[in-house]
Amino acid sequence: MSPVVFVTRPIPDNGVRLLVDAFGEENVVVSKNDCPISREDLLAGVVGKDALLPILTDTIDAAVMDAAGPSLKVIANYAVGYNNIDVDAATERGIAVTNTPGVLTDTTADLAWSLLMTAGRRIGESERYLRAGRWQSWGPQLMLGTDIHGKTLGIFGMGRIGQAMARRAQGFGMRVIYTDANRLDALSEKALQATKVDIRTLLSESDFISIHCPLLPETTYAFGAEEFRAMKPTACLINTSRGPVVDEAALANALRTGEIFAAGLDVYEEEPAIHPGLMACENAVLVPHIGSATVETRGKMSEMAAANIVAVIKGETPPNCVNPEVLG
Ligand code: GLV
Ligand code: GLV
């Protein structure tokens, strides 16, 4: 019997074509509806499948793996972040988990940079003001934001995306400091002109802080009331990683009281719900988890997820396995 793949939501065509070429049209099942799959449909859809291609809003836990049964060999997440998958449960069952790193690095850094500029220069607020017909005249004190060039950028999590963010900062003559569990090698630090500091220094010296860590127990609520108090009142916080790294209620409070200047967010604690306190803040720039959302990058992610599946099913080493210990 030919292996069967289940794709939980329509994705760009090129990846689906790779799967169809490898396994045949009848063996590639793509969920029909362009909306998050229900738990019930997910549990029913995986039964007897050899490969699962979920998106980041699908919770892939032991129950899903057990519903699939022993045929399931690979879970190919359509994302770089894989906090939606119980990797330990997959490893116990000998199931490979793969993700899509690398292809979305610059695209996500571009979005983080857009949020940084939008927050600093009050672009969202300015546009709402103009569109509401409230603009009466040029004003010496109208919509004053904060400079970006020459300021200090603090990067929380210096992985691929954090480093891409640091590269962009050079064009703006910024000083770059960062925190991370690991220190970059000396050559990379030099090339990026980035200095590793402790969290206290990052909080107190940064004019912009951009978050680029994965969601882990130790990064959950890494930014809360205490951290906002330690930041400059002129500082902006940017988050394109995962929502629960930031305590949204505390952030809304810090924005409302002027403890920090502004925030640019792509991710939220309870997507797609947005904390009402954030919704009420003019100085919060809020976009709907579009970090990797370009035609080019979503296409590459589609191919990459498919290539990971094809490799595992063929008994080859998938390009992006996060639990390589299962590969025999
Ligand atoms: C997007 O958030 C991703 O992890 O790919
Ligand atoms: C993701 O690609 C990261 O390591 O930042």
Side-chain angles (χ1 to χ4, degrees), residues 43 46-48 61-72 89 93 95:
L43 288 170
V46 292
V47 174
D61 53 16
V64 174
M65 298 172 203
D66 292 339
S71 57
L72 188 63
R93 290 161 178 75
I95 302 167

Side-chain angles (χ1 to χ4, degrees), residues 13-320:
D13 228 29
N14 49 346
V16 179
R17 265 187 276 118
L18 280 179
L19 293 171
V20 166
D21 288 347
F23 308 118
E25 185 104 48
E26 68 284 8
N27 295 313
V28 179
V29 181
V30 182
S31 178
K32 295 276 172 302
N33 303 324
D34 193 16
C35 64
I37 193 166
S38 68
R39 180 79 182 167
E40 199 184 352
D41 290 348
L42 176 60
L43 288 170
V46 292
V47 174
K49 300 299 189 291
D50 299 79
L52 176 62
L53 196 161
I55 61 168
L56 60 89
T57 50
D58 302 327
T59 299
I60 309 299
D61 53 16
V64 174
M65 298 172 203
D66 292 339
S71 57
L72 188 63
K73 288 170 204 69
V74 52
I75 301 168
N77 214 32
Y78 185 73
V80 65
Y82 48 88
N83 52 288
N84 58 307
I85 299 173
D86 186 341
V87 177
D88 291 339
T91 304
E92 277 166 27
R93 290 161 178 75
I95 302 167
V97 176
T98 67
N99 66 339
T100 63
V103 289
L104 48 65
T105 300
D106 283 302
T107 302
T108 305
D110 286 349
L111 195 269
W113 199 262
S114 311
L115 287 173
L116 183 155
M117 300 192 75
T118 304
R121 295 301 301 270
R122 300 173 64 176
I123 293 172
E125 185 183 356
S126 291
E127 207 207 357
R128 285 190 294 278
Y129 174 85
L130 179 148
R131 283 181 184 273
R134 291 168 56 205
W135 187 31
Q136 301 298 330
S137 68
W138 183 88
Q141 305 203 75
L142 179 65
M143 291 291 169
L144 303 190
T146 177
D147 271 335
I148 293 155
H149 64 274
K151 292 290 182 73
T152 296
L153 172 63
I155 298 178
F156 185 83
M158 198 56 142
R160 285 169 289 247
I161 301 171
Q163 292 175 49
M165 197 67 183
R167 276 195 295 279
R168 281 155 182 71
Q170 291 186 0
F172 285 76
M174 294 176 95
R175 168 183 176 234
V176 176
I177 56 180
Y178 73 96
T179 57
D180 195 287
N182 302 307
R183 180 164 183 181
L184 294 179
D185 59 75
L187 272 181
S188 305
E189 278 198 349
K190 188 151 185 272
L192 297 171
Q193 294 168 37
T195 307
K196 188 167 188 283
V197 297
D198 58 30
I199 184 68
R200 287 290 127 205
T201 306
L202 190 93
L203 293 169
S204 63
E205 295 190 6
S206 298
D207 298 297
F208 297 87
I209 293 182
S210 193
I211 302 176
H212 298 290
C213 62
L215 178 62
L216 300 167
E218 58 273 28
T219 59
T220 300
Y221 274 18
F223 286 81
E226 194 189 320
E227 285 71 29
F228 301 132
R229 263 195 304 279
M231 286 170 67
K232 296 183 183 182
T234 50
C236 301
L237 181 75
I238 311 303
N239 188 13
T240 54
S241 65
R242 285 292 181 267
V245 177
V246 174
D247 176 345
E248 280 178 3
L251 176 61
N253 193 49
L255 290 169
R256 189 177 50 79
T257 59
E259 217 155 58
I260 68 172
F261 182 71
L265 306 177
D266 185 40
V267 290
Y268 306 89
E269 277 187 54
E270 302 280 351
E271 297 174 14
I274 311 291
H275 192 284
L278 290 175
M279 283 291 210
C281 287
E282 283 288 358
N283 53 350
V285 178
L286 309 171
V287 297
H289 204 150
I290 55 171
S292 63
T294 65
V295 173
E296 297 91 334
T297 290
R298 288 288 167 82
K300 287 180 197 153
M301 289 166 64
S302 183
E303 264 178 44
M304 203 164 188
N308 279 314
I309 288 178
V310 173
V312 172
I313 298 294
K314 284 190 175 161
E316 293 163 6
T317 303
N320 317 102

